[in-house]
Amino acid sequence: MSSPWEKFYREHKSSLIAMAYRLTGSWAEAEDIVQETFTSLLETPAVFEQVRNPLPYFRQAVVNRSLNVLKSPRFSRETYPGTWLPEPLFQTATETDHSVLHEEQVSYAFMVMLEQLSPEERAVMVLRESFAVDYQEIAAILDKSEAACRKLLSRARNKLTRSGLEETKVPGDRVSAWVQAFLQASRQGEFTPLLAMIREDAVLWSDGGGKVRSALRPIFTRERIMAFWNGITRKGSMAGELVPVRLNGDWGLLLYQQGRPVKAIAFEGDAQGQIRNMYLVTNPDKLAMAPPLSLPLTH
């Protein structure tokens, strides 16, 4: 790789991976997409020499590869066993690779929200609202008119509004309080004290990917959610070491059993500061990037 391209790769790699992660919901997939994009260009010297404005070129290539992944059978949400949740990202005290995601506040709730959109709606929302790409470039990337791209974004926003999925920013100290309360409840084996922190109409979403036992359907209402946590605790499923950790920039929890991460728990709140959604990821493939228990976690 020539020196200018090495510099470009170093400067934009994290941003392009962050873009692909938002589009696919998988960090591992995002890394592969960006690496393959650069490799493909370097293997075609004629194209390599013709690229004069590399960032739009790579953005278009990364978006196209990401959309192809989303539309592929192996990534199909329709055939996925149960709820499909995005791969969570974790941050340890010594980890820096995902700092761009924390700085840009890519919350887990936002990633879940994107799952409700079509691939093209998702692409427009990510490009416009996360990376401030202008409509002219978005239109070129998606091979659509600027008017059509504006309509896609409007449709995406309306879809999320109608579904009640607009992202709400909750103060970090409130999220930390949820985590500490859940941690204490887990240690005591009794989750009833959490009732006051959870909305009556809260929902628990669980993703085991068909590889570990999990609830295939969402669990509605706080009473049923409390019954779920109390039930799996009595069965020993919460045994192990439950550790607070930065999860997509916000506080969440990781459960380790025999030193291996087996459950990631994230929270989403409403404007009143109550929990309205809980996310439980147990699919081992989506916990592959969780830090080993031996690493110092971010405090």
Side-chain angles (χ1 to χ4, degrees):
M1 187 181 289
S2 63
S3 180
W5 286 98
E6 288 177 352
K7 184 174 183 293
F8 175 85
Y9 187 74
R10 287 195 305 270
E11 290 177 352
H12 297 284
K13 177 184 176 183
S14 293
S15 178
L16 290 169
I17 292 175
M19 178 182 293
Y21 170 66
R22 286 170 171 84
L23 291 171
T24 64
S26 167
W27 186 265
E29 196 74 39
E31 288 184 317
D32 288 344
I33 286 169
V34 173
Q35 181 62 47
E36 288 168 7
T37 300
F38 276 88
T39 301
S40 176
L41 181 65
L42 294 177
E43 289 176 349
T44 53
V47 175
F48 180 88
E49 294 176 2
Q50 291 172 12
V51 175
R52 295 291 177 261
N53 196 353
L55 186 54
Y57 175 90
F58 277 106
R59 273 203 286 239
Q60 182 171 20
V62 166
V63 169
N64 287 336
R65 285 177 182 267
S66 298
L67 294 181
N68 287 338
V69 165
L70 278 180
K71 296 172 183 177
S72 66
R74 70 182 180 85
F75 234 66
S76 172
R77 274 49 163 174
E78 286 74 19
T79 58
Y80 193 79
T83 301
W84 197 102
L85 290 175
E87 178 186 339
L89 297 180
F90 308 93
Q91 191 173 10
T92 68
T94 57
E95 190 268 334
T96 59
D97 287 348
H98 301 153
S99 60
V100 62
L101 293 168
H102 178 54
E103 291 166 4
E104 294 174 6
Q105 298 181 332
V106 185
S107 71
Y108 196 73
F110 179 74
M111 292 299 301
V112 173
M113 186 176 69
L114 289 175
E115 287 298 314
Q116 310 306 312
L117 306 178
S118 71
E120 289 186 337
E121 290 169 347
R122 186 169 182 159
V124 173
M125 177 162 275
V126 166
L127 289 167
R128 183 65 185 165
E129 302 208 337
S130 292
F131 294 90
V133 179
D134 62 50
Y135 280 106
Q136 183 178 7
E137 184 179 339
I138 295 174
I141 289 173
L142 297 180
D143 193 24
K144 293 182 178 294
S145 67
E146 290 184 39
C149 292
R150 291 177 189 274
K151 281 186 178 180
L152 279 169
L153 182 58
S154 176
R155 189 189 309 157
R157 287 171 175 163
N158 289 337
K159 184 182 291 187
L160 296 176
T161 299
R162 288 195 304 270
S163 302
L165 293 169
E166 307 100 315
E167 187 181 18
T168 301
K169 298 296 182 184
V170 178
D173 58 350
R174 180 59 61 88
V175 180
S176 181
W178 298 340
V179 168
Q180 292 303 321
F182 191 98
L183 186 61
Q184 185 68 17
S186 177
R187 287 171 177 167
Q188 294 175 349
E190 176 54 62
F191 288 84
T192 305
L194 285 175
L195 279 173
M197 294 185 169
I198 303 175
R199 283 171 46 146
E200 173 59 36
D201 61 349
V203 185
L204 170 65
W205 308 84
S206 180
D207 178 354
K211 300 191 174 185
V212 297
R213 190 172 182 180
S214 67
L216 292 177
R217 294 182 178 85
I219 297 173
F220 296 94
T221 77
R222 66 185 176 191
E223 284 75 17
R224 290 179 179 175
I225 292 172
M226 291 299 96
F228 169 82
W229 289 117
N230 284 323
I232 68 170
T233 298
R234 285 194 296 270
K235 293 176 181 177
S237 294
M238 293 298 291
E241 189 160 358
L242 191 62
V243 180
V245 63
R246 286 285 186 183
L247 191 156
N248 284 67
D250 293 322
W251 283 111
L253 290 158
L254 262 176
L255 177 66
Y256 292 86
Q257 292 178 342
Q258 298 179 339
R260 183 172 58 89
V262 294
K263 287 180 175 64
I265 304 166
F267 305 91
E268 179 192 357
D270 62 15
Q272 288 70 47
Q274 284 190 300
I275 298 170
R276 66 179 175 188
N277 285 297
M278 288 185 178
Y279 304 107
L280 173 62
V281 180
T282 57
N283 183 342
D285 293 342
K286 296 183 179 182
L287 298 177
M289 297 193 68
L293 187 55
S294 58
L295 281 181
L297 300 172
T298 302
H299 295 288

